[in-house]
Amino acid sequence: MSMKELEKKLRDRFGEGVIDFAIPRKNRLIIKVDASIVKEIAMFIKENGFDMPISAGATDYPKDKRFEVFWVIWSSIHNLVLILKTDIDRDNAEIDSLVEVWRGVQKFERETWELMGINYKGHPKLKPLLLPEDWDEGYPLRKDFSLSPYKV
Amino acid sequence: MGIARVEEVEELKDGLMRVSIGPQHPISGQGRILVVTDGETVYDIEIDIGYSHRGIEKILENRIYIHGIVPLERMVMLDTSPITMCYVRALEELYGVEAPPRAQYIRTIILEMNRIISHTYALGLFAESAAWNPAIFLWTTADREPFLDLLEMLTGARWSYSFIVPGGVRADLPQGFKEAAFEAIKFFRERLDVYVDSWIDNYLFEVRTRNVGVIPRDKAIEWGAAGPSLRASGVEYDTRKHDPYAAYEELDFKIITDTSGDSYARGGVRVKEMYVSLDIIEQALENIPDGPIKRSLPQRAPPGEAYARVETARGEIGMYVVSDGKDKPYRVKISPASFRNIFLIEMLPKIEELRFADVPVIFYSLDPWFLDADR
């Protein structure tokens, strides 16, 4: 299946839910989707051969009041890397967890929950991982986190 | 670092206990493995990392691009060049440039030497975990010396090279490097044969590591294993082949895989990969083209984003770099191989019967690195 066919299948099935479909270079694919249907789309692309989770995280855009949440999936069949992206509201940082789709994203979502403060709905194990256990100074990877107390 | 509070620890059934391995140096670095056991059988394993979290992703956001290379190397001191290679690769994609061919070959040579250095250390620890005589660890530590000397000759440092920079490499091969490298390769190949004869092919070692910690192919993919841990489960996946960088596209080598997915297979893949690395270094030294080694780049990267992948000794590292046109990255997301591999051991008691004595064997066979996972 070529990527053109995948794009057609996706757009036929989800219509407006697929916001962007881009091939920036060889072996890369970026799909931007609507946050409300991210889980259905994830199921769909997993059925189409994207089976191995290799990364997940989020980027903070305080000016646009949004987080861009992403999952990076490798396909053992097509040999390419897919970046699945979606935008969520910065004041209400919630998104469906994709652990049920790809088991391996569990640790990445847990880490993003801790460092970026994004609530993954349906995640089985949202508990602290990297930060000290008495940490209460906010979410270090957000752009409004101040580094000045830590500068030497 | 989140499961230390006593009130949060759930009650255990009668006859079971929770044993904490670590957090002081259970392997290189600080981290804790919590094992629920009745003394022999393992029922549950929980990985507790974060004891050396330095916030490297945040640090990178506050440094100009080239200064990011130094903190990045602190992720794995044994295996620094592939990590910087990944960052540099992402930056070169953002800038839309490629390093000159000679620089690509020099990069390949350093990357493969680093792989050998890292694999020897991993195998030494693996041997020790299987109750093997510590002599193996001393052997592997001594035998990597020629490569450390070569890297010192080339870069001026034994561990943290900061040698691969955006646009090329810092310096050209010094005089006498080629000859010294061929000599080291010859020496090391003989030593590898000795390892295989005396230890890898040894019945006692096989008994200790065969069928221990078997990760089936489908689980390895589902859980997102990386590097030798993935290839030992029969997945032919190596970014050197599948998403080539440096000079790998022009060199002839094959991906080492195994199908059994047990601890022995993971160790075996590492040993065979070292033979492949020696071949790659030889080819690179023989075919290295003449020409410039660096092109200069402006301090500000054009706006955009890039996802770069590089095969470190522990597996694939991924870096997602977002630039907003300034001289510092807007966001860097690092997905190191250890972070993916370290959690595999949590899954294992759910699919097979483990004994307590198997835990270190499996752990060292996966070769995760706490500092790599913590960042």
Side-chain angles (χ1 to χ4, degrees), chain B residues 230-247:
Chain B
L230 181 66
R231 292 192 281 273
S233 296
V235 185
E236 203 181 294
Y237 176 57
D238 192 324
T239 39
R240 290 180 289 173
K241 266 276 197 267
H242 285 129
D243 198 353
Y245 51 97

Side-chain angles (χ1 to χ4, degrees), chain A residues 25 27-28 52 55-56 58 60 74 81 85 104 107 111 127 129-130 133 140-143 147, chain B residues 1 3 5 46 49-50 57-58 61-62 93 222-223 237 242-243 305 307 330-331 333 335 375:
Chain A
R25 71 171 186 88
N27 289 337
R28 290 289 183 285
M52 194 167 97
S55 181
D60 185 10
W74 178 69
V81 171
K85 290 182 181 177
K107 56 222 176 239
E111 174 202 37
K127 55 183 198 174
L129 181 68
L130 295 173
E133 56 216 47
L141 284 185
R142 287 194 180 186
K143 285 286 172 188
L147 280 183
Chain B
M1 261 184 93
I3 37 188
R5 269 178 265 178
E46 191 162 5
I49 57 172
E57 289 174 14
K58 191 74 180 176
E61 284 176 17
N62 292 284
E93 198 183 318
E222 191 188 331
W223 297 340
Y237 176 57
H242 285 129
D243 198 353
E305 56 172 69
Y307 189 84
Y330 185 78
R331 167 89 165 105
K333 165 72 195 161
S335 325
R375 281 153 288 158

Side-chain angles (χ1 to χ4, degrees), chain B residues 354-371:
Chain B
L354 290 187
R355 287 169 305 153
F356 192 77
D358 292 339
V359 174
V361 175
I362 298 168
F363 201 79
Y364 285 79
S365 77
L366 292 169
D367 187 27
W369 194 267
F370 285 117
L371 287 109

